[in-house]
Amino acid sequence: MNKRNGIFAIMMILFFTSCKKDNIDSSPVTVNTKDFLVNGDPSGGNYNFFSFETATEITPADSATNKWDFAMRFETFIVNSNASGPGNAGVQIVNQAFDAVTSAPATGYRYDTTVSQKAIKGADWYNYNPTTRSFSPIAGKTFIFRTATGKYAKLEVLSADPTDDAGNLVVPPTRPTKIKYKIRVAFQGNGSATF
Amino acid sequence: MKKSTAIFITFLLTNIVFGQSDTLFNKTMDEIFITATRTERKIGNVAVPVSIINKKTIQLSGSLRLNDILQEQTGFLITGGTGSNAVGGGIFGNGIQLQGLSPDHTLILLDGEPLIGRQGGVMDLSRFAVGNIRKIETVKGPSSSLYGSDAMGGVINIITESAIGKSFTAGIRSGSFFNSDLYTSGNSKRDKLSIFYFINRNSSNGYELDKTSPEKTQESFSNNTGQLKFVYQLDPRTKITTNSRLFYGLQKSRYAINSRELNVSGDGRTYDYLVNPVITHRFNNSFQTSLRLLTSGYSFTQQLDSISNKKEYYYDRFKQSFYRVENQTDFSWNANNTLTTGGGFTLQTVNTTRYSKKQQQVMWHAFAQHEWRGVKNLILISGLRYDYNTAFASRLSPKLAAKYSLNSKIKLLASYGAGFKAPDFRQLYLNFTNNAAEGYSIFGSNEFSLPFLQQQQNLGFISTILPAANLITELSPETSQGFNVGAQMIPLSPINIEINVFRNDINNLINYIPVATNVNGTSVFSYINVNRAFTQGAELNISYKVKDLQISTGYQFLLTADKDLLEKIKNQEVYGRDNVNGPARLMNRSDYSGLLNRSKHMVNFRIFWEKNDNKLDASLRFIYRSRFGVTDKDGNGFANMKEEFAKGMLQANTTIGYRINKSFRIQVGINNLLNQIDARNLPNLPGTNWFTGIHYSFKK
């Protein structure tokens, strides 16, 4: 039974992956792993802006445009809509491995409704240890974004390290000035909700 | 009278049998006598797994501080330097882990009285010199039925020198890192009054394990200890003992804050003292009572200033006082029954810069224990203790233990005990907002207030109050149920084997949880009884002793788990990564490695040799611990990827001693022969280091 099912499964996989390949040719889902160095000051200062489409950081000069999708400062996320920007972005966090998220849900996206009511709360995606003053992103928390322009993207925070301005790791009691995030992002450019 | 003599002999035999595997070269009957006359020892040393470390072992090992000697015992793990969660180790000095329970779950006594002064739940064992110790007795497994709070993983009782006899000792020792140790002790007797004193100064320049960091791994420090003990024999039946201790420790600190160069420096100062008068009156040989008074205090102050402009950078102060009155009465109405009852009153106060005001706790306790020897070869002990206090829920702790002598070579032991740990002061009273670092706040459960959070929300400081905020309520003590089953065997005369299998189920573990989110995204925390855990394992000790040689080996196998986390893994809710930046995947039961800072395997192998005429002695000790989880990088609450573990560690220590004449003895030694270093995970373990010392002793 196992063998036959196994063969069947392989065939199905081949079938679907080949189908997917066709999709990729016409509308590629780009997956990138990026270092994202953000302002490490919890109390104030600039956010660092990120665009899924270019998979790069966006200059703060463009903060009032649709060019960015989310931004971070310390461990705070803001998304480009409502209280935080002119775009149409929204976000939700699902309890699933990044690779297992194959499509973006149609509903359930949240926004920064006010400056203090943000879509993403720290407790949603990391554990903070006040004793060691370290926070660790929780594995299996996948962020699903609707981008500022209405396309879909997913994101996984792989690691968060306290660093100095140059991105070199620092350990207590040296206070970090930046947090270096390693993020994995996937962007669906054709407007569909599948990854 | 004959009956009572029989009782005492039973106690003595119990002591001999229990102590055997760890008691090197133990031939002094008076040692055991003293133990037998100390009432607490009578209670604790029956039918539960215990060990004794005597003065000889401490001397031959060349130990200076309590952690030095404890780390070489089977099942004793010194924690230090490894950060972890509430059920893990600690970053607050050298703590002790027994049966897999963290340092805040082991009670440490000095001559039967609880020691105070824990930082983050950890009693730093390096505060205690060993030069004044006659022996160290340890009971493993819970014994809150006798000692109340903290006695979950075990109880370590440091028994200092008696004031009997006339002697004088002094010694000087120096070693690597400009480590120096000076001591003198002595006792004297005139008529009814005996005196014992001990003075020690231990200092070091510290050491460096990681040259890439501008900060030293261990900065220079000095520890100063004084002890004075009076014994006054009022009449043949009444004895007054007053023990007092004074400690001052200075720890230098230098940090490179936001810099590649040292820019902040300062001192951490620790003081502790205790005064402990005990009056014991023996009405007759089967009825005695004692009144114990204890006044003790502890304070820790840390001040850090900028090196360039001398401005204050950081200030932290913690001050604790502890007062106790306790009575204990022992009554044996016939040869088969001994009843021990007692009760007491405790007042404790704590004040720190992190609390809103000085906090105070009042506690009452009463206990009773019955020992029954009605059937040949069997000892049955039952006990119960009630702890009441003003700050948190009260607690009833039962105990049941049995010991059966199968024949002259095999003895079987089984015991059940309840343990608890009262919520500590920080869990109740912490009121702390870290403005300097990440801006988080922590409130102890008694300081926590939902209306306050709502007010903060209205003022725009807090963005969201989480549903968990409604769960914060009066804390209950952390509790445990412990089972120990074991055997003691002497299969072939000089070989002694001890086996013990243990299981501890821990409930109501206190942990912090986020209760609200600040506007800047950081969290507000408070404490809650939330976690359940277990530790289980087995311990094996084998010792072989011939005239001048003792070889012993010990092994502890340990499994631990956070029960709630296990359930989440079972429900397929827990993810993890196989390497630091790898993809997340669902975790299986087999990925789960247990609580952080627990080694599955711990092994020791020790050889002590002392020539018949005491002229020459030597020791060689190996201690191994297998790999252990130190951090959680993927947020699932346990160590699963390689980078979350510290690797296993094999330490070797050796000494050689030579007695020049009746009065002088020299000793040289090398610790950490194999130069095992792990700067990040074991900063308390310096590389290979040596020492040499000379000791003078005079005995009349």
Side-chain angles (χ1 to χ4, degrees):
Chain A
M1 160 196 152
N2 277 343
K3 210 173 195 178
R4 196 182 287 173
N5 279 358
I7 291 166
F8 178 71
I10 290 167
M11 285 171 65
M12 291 300 283
I13 289 166
L14 286 174
F15 176 74
F16 280 113
T17 46
S18 54
C19 281
K20 211 170 180 181
K21 212 170 190 177
D22 294 340
N23 285 343
I24 287 166
D25 288 337
S26 58
S27 54
V29 173
T30 51
V31 181
N32 282 296
T33 301
K34 289 272 168 188
D35 282 339
F36 188 31
L37 195 63
V38 310
N39 177 8
D41 186 351
S43 50
N46 285 332
Y47 278 89
N48 294 77
F49 300 87
F50 193 87
S51 160
F52 286 113
E53 184 146 14
T54 60
T56 54
E57 192 178 341
I58 300 295
T59 165
D62 287 334
S63 66
T65 70
N66 270 351
K67 286 183 181 169
W68 63 280
D69 300 307
F70 75 93
M72 289 190 78
R73 182 180 71 201
F74 186 51
E75 47 65 82
T76 307
F77 275 89
I78 55 172
V79 291
N80 189 353
S81 67
N82 290 42
S84 298
N88 190 29
V91 66
Q92 57 185 302
I93 295 178
V94 294
N95 218 356
Q96 253 182 302
F98 182 84
D99 295 321
V101 176
T102 51
S103 67
T107 57
Y109 295 91
R110 301 175 59 187
Y111 316 99
D112 301 337
T113 49
T114 66
V115 173
S116 61
Q117 291 295 331
K118 299 210 168 60
I120 295 173
K121 291 168 190 62
D124 296 342
W125 65 276
Y126 67 81
N127 286 332
Y128 182 73
N129 183 339
T131 314
T132 57
R133 296 183 184 177
S134 63
F135 58 92
S136 43
I138 300 168
K141 298 282 182 188
T142 303
F143 296 62
I144 304 176
F145 280 90
R146 189 173 63 215
T147 67
T149 54
K151 290 171 179 171
Y152 290 98
K154 59 180 179 174
L155 175 150
E156 176 184 24
V157 182
L158 297 171
S159 59
D161 292 311
T163 69
D164 59 17
D165 282 340
N168 299 315
L169 221 62
V170 296
V171 291
T174 301
R175 205 184 302 159
T177 53
K178 302 274 187 200
I179 305 289
K180 184 161 91 180
Y181 288 97
K182 199 171 266 298
I183 53 176
R184 195 146 72 108
V185 291
F187 177 68
Q188 173 54 274
N190 70 358
S192 83
T194 57
F195 294 114
Chain B
M1 171 162 172
K2 267 186 181 163
K3 279 176 186 170
S4 333
T5 315
I7 295 167
F8 273 107
I9 288 168
T10 314
F11 276 125
L12 293 182
L13 289 174
T14 315
N15 279 322
I16 292 167
V17 169
F18 276 94
Q20 209 148 23
S21 76
D22 273 300
T23 311
L24 309 175
F25 310 98
N26 186 8
K27 47 187 183 262
T28 49
M29 287 297 283
D30 57 340
E31 195 174 64
I32 292 159
F33 251 110
I34 293 156
T35 303
T37 50
R38 282 192 59 88
T39 36
E40 277 91 347
R41 307 274 38 90
K42 279 205 274 185
I43 301 163
N45 275 353
V46 180
V48 288
V50 300
S51 67
I52 296 176
I53 306 163
N54 68 6
K55 191 169 191 72
K56 197 89 198 181
T57 311
I58 295 171
Q59 280 177 345
L60 292 196
S61 304
S63 298
L64 290 179
R65 317 304 296 178
L66 191 55
N67 48 303
D68 296 339
I69 188 67
L70 290 185
Q71 67 165 356
E72 301 191 350
Q73 314 303 314
T74 311
F76 287 65
L77 181 87
I78 302 298
T79 65
T82 50
S84 61
N85 58 17
V87 287
I91 55 169
F92 302 100
N94 297 286
I96 185 83
Q97 190 187 94
L98 285 182
Q99 292 196 342
L101 276 83
S102 52
D104 50 344
H105 295 142
T106 290
L107 180 65
I108 300 175
L109 306 173
L110 183 72
D111 289 320
E113 299 295 343
L115 285 163
I116 60 161
R118 290 171 184 261
Q119 292 276 328
V122 177
M123 179 83 69
D124 186 359
L125 301 174
S126 62
R127 250 168 66 204
F128 305 99
V130 297
N132 56 340
I133 295 177
R134 185 158 57 87
K135 62 173 170 170
I136 303 164
E137 299 186 340
T138 302
V139 179
K140 285 182 184 160
S143 32
S144 289
S145 64
L146 290 175
Y147 295 104
S149 182
D150 302 0
M152 286 170 78
V155 177
I156 297 172
N157 189 5
I158 305 160
I159 299 171
T160 59
E161 282 288 2
S162 59
I164 295 167
K166 274 189 181 176
S167 72
F168 170 79
T169 68
I172 178 167
R173 170 172 144 169
S174 68
S176 308
F177 323 122
F178 291 94
N179 195 320
S180 81
D181 192 82
L182 305 162
Y183 73 90
T184 173
S185 70
N187 47 32
S188 183
K189 190 177 180 206
R190 172 168 287 187
D191 297 333
K192 292 174 174 175
L193 182 70
S194 313
I195 298 174
F196 168 76
Y197 81 92
F198 171 75
I199 300 167
N200 170 255
R201 178 181 165 85
N202 174 252
S203 63
S204 168
N205 272 9
Y207 51 84
E208 175 76 290
L209 297 178
D210 177 11
K211 296 224 158 42
T212 63
S213 157
E215 289 140 0
K216 250 177 154 175
T217 310
Q218 170 70 59
E219 278 284 352
S220 64
F221 62 86
S222 70
N223 292 314
N224 307 277
T225 311
Q227 190 199 359
L228 197 56
K229 194 188 260 188
F230 293 98
V231 179
Y232 188 72
Q233 194 77 43
L234 200 66
D235 60 52
R237 294 179 183 280
T238 312
K239 191 168 84 169
I240 303 170
T241 305
T242 301
N243 185 31
S244 54
R245 166 189 155 90
L246 191 63
F247 172 85
Y248 166 60
L250 175 67
Q251 174 68 63
K252 292 276 176 193
S253 304
R254 283 185 299 167
Y255 296 112
I257 311 265
N258 298 334
S259 157
R260 299 301 299 165
E261 276 169 34
L262 297 168
N263 54 6
V264 164
S265 75
D267 297 337
R269 293 169 196 274
T270 306
Y271 294 89
D272 81 61
Y273 80 91
L274 69 82
V275 181
N276 174 215
V278 179
I279 307 164
T280 307
H281 182 73
R282 185 181 295 280
F283 295 97
N284 55 50
N285 277 334
S286 55
F287 185 33
Q288 84 163 38
T289 188
S290 65
L291 180 69
R292 313 175 66 90
L293 308 171
L294 175 68
T295 299
S296 59
Y298 168 86
S299 81
F300 174 75
T301 311
Q302 181 156 44
Q303 166 125 26
L304 298 174
D305 296 328
S306 158
I307 290 173
S308 57
N309 63 14
K310 305 287 171 211
K311 270 193 182 159
E312 179 179 300
Y313 174 78
Y314 178 84
Y315 180 76
D316 193 14
R317 182 176 48 81
F318 178 91
K319 200 165 182 280
Q320 181 182 11
S321 304
F322 186 97
Y323 311 95
R324 175 172 281 179
V325 183
E326 193 175 36
N327 170 263
Q328 183 174 320
T329 304
D330 309 311
F331 179 54
S332 306
W333 63 89
N334 60 36
N336 296 334
N337 291 281
T338 304
L339 184 69
T340 302
T341 59
F345 166 83
T346 308
L347 172 71
Q348 206 178 167
T349 66
V350 169
N351 201 2
T352 95
T353 41
R354 296 182 174 199
Y355 298 174
S356 59
K357 60 175 196 290
K358 185 173 171 180
Q359 303 289 350
Q360 180 175 310
Q361 280 181 7
V362 174
M363 292 168 274
W364 296 91
H365 71 268
F367 63 90
Q369 177 166 271
H370 177 233
E371 181 173 341
W372 183 69
R373 295 169 298 269
V375 174
K376 206 184 161 198
N377 296 333
L378 181 73
I379 299 173
L380 207 60
I381 296 167
S382 54
L384 194 65
R385 172 166 162 146
Y386 180 71
D387 285 85
Y388 168 82
N389 74 85
T390 51
F392 50 87
S394 57
R395 187 71 197 153
L396 199 64
S397 313
K399 177 173 190 162
L400 204 59
K403 185 182 149 204
Y404 182 68
S405 305
L406 208 60
N407 53 45
S408 63
K409 290 181 173 172
I410 301 175
K411 293 177 196 313
L412 304 173
L413 310 145
S415 63
Y416 157 80
F420 79 92
K421 181 193 161 284
D424 61 34
F425 277 88
R426 83 201 135 118
Q427 291 160 347
L428 294 168
Y429 306 122
L430 197 62
N431 185 334
F432 178 64
T433 297
N434 190 335
N435 293 316
E438 294 82 4
Y440 68 88
S441 308
I442 304 188
F443 295 102
S445 67
N446 288 19
E447 289 286 301
F448 174 84
S449 139
L450 200 53
F452 174 76
L453 289 189
Q454 282 155 353
Q455 185 199 354
Q456 293 293 97
Q457 190 174 29
N458 293 338
L459 290 171
F461 297 118
I462 283 175
S463 65
T464 317
I465 297 175
L466 303 171
N470 296 304
L471 303 173
I472 305 300
T473 171
E474 182 185 59
L475 285 177
S476 295
E478 299 180 335
T479 60
S480 76
Q481 319 263 338
F483 293 91
N484 285 273
V485 177
Q488 298 164 333
M489 291 166 282
I490 312 172
L492 221 61
S493 185
I495 298 175
N496 191 322
I497 301 174
E498 282 186 23
I499 300 168
N500 185 52
V501 178
F502 60 89
R503 161 101 183 178
N504 294 292
D505 282 282
I506 308 148
N507 286 314
N508 276 338
L509 277 170
I510 296 168
N511 210 340
Y512 50 80
I513 55 164
V515 290
T517 310
N518 287 318
V519 172
N520 66 13
T522 60
S523 296
V524 178
F525 298 91
S526 187
Y527 292 94
I528 185 171
N529 291 101
V530 65
N531 291 100
R532 299 175 303 142
F534 73 77
T535 74
Q536 62 185 24
E539 187 180 320
L540 173 70
N541 282 295
I542 302 172
S543 65
Y544 169 84
K545 187 179 148 191
V546 289
K547 233 174 186 178
D548 48 7
L549 184 71
Q550 162 118 17
I551 302 173
S552 67
T553 182
Y555 170 66
Q556 180 183 271
F557 174 74
L558 177 69
L559 294 174
T560 60
D562 177 329
K563 289 186 190 176
D564 302 289
L565 194 49
L566 276 189
E567 207 156 288
K568 278 189 191 161
I569 291 172
K570 202 174 138 202
N571 295 340
Q572 307 209 318
E573 292 167 18
V574 180
Y575 292 80
R577 303 179 204 289
D578 292 328
N579 44 62
V580 175
N581 291 314
R585 67 166 175 87
L586 261 180
M587 292 278 105
N588 303 313
R589 177 66 179 87
S590 60
D591 293 311
Y592 183 63
S593 61
L595 305 175
L596 294 178
N597 203 13
R598 269 66 175 184
S599 289
K600 200 184 223 179
H601 309 283
M602 278 168 62
V603 186
N604 64 59
F605 181 77
R606 297 172 291 174
I607 303 172
F608 290 89
W609 175 75
E610 189 176 45
K611 221 177 145 194
N612 277 340
D613 55 6
N614 285 359
K615 268 226 143 76
L616 204 59
D617 63 70
S619 74
L620 178 62
R621 298 102 61 204
F622 293 94
I623 319 151
Y624 171 77
R625 70 178 293 194
S626 63
R627 72 167 196 167
F628 52 101
V630 286
T631 184
D632 171 29
K633 286 178 185 289
D634 50 7
N636 56 15
F638 63 96
N640 51 285
M641 64 175 102
K642 202 177 98 231
E643 290 80 359
E644 294 175 335
F645 287 96
K647 57 184 199 313
M649 185 67 80
L650 176 68
Q651 266 189 79
N653 303 324
T654 186
T655 60
I656 296 173
Y658 175 66
R659 188 171 291 284
I660 301 164
N661 58 35
K662 217 176 134 196
S663 306
F664 286 97
R665 177 174 174 267
I666 52 170
Q667 188 181 38
V668 294
I670 303 170
N671 289 323
N672 198 359
L673 266 171
L674 305 171
N675 198 29
Q676 299 275 293
I677 286 175
D678 185 342
R680 180 183 282 256
N681 301 310
L682 294 170
N684 55 340
L685 178 68
T688 303
N689 63 93
W690 59 270
F691 65 85
T692 174
I694 183 158
H695 306 272
Y696 172 82
S697 68
F698 162 83
K699 219 170 212 150
K700 200 173 167 185

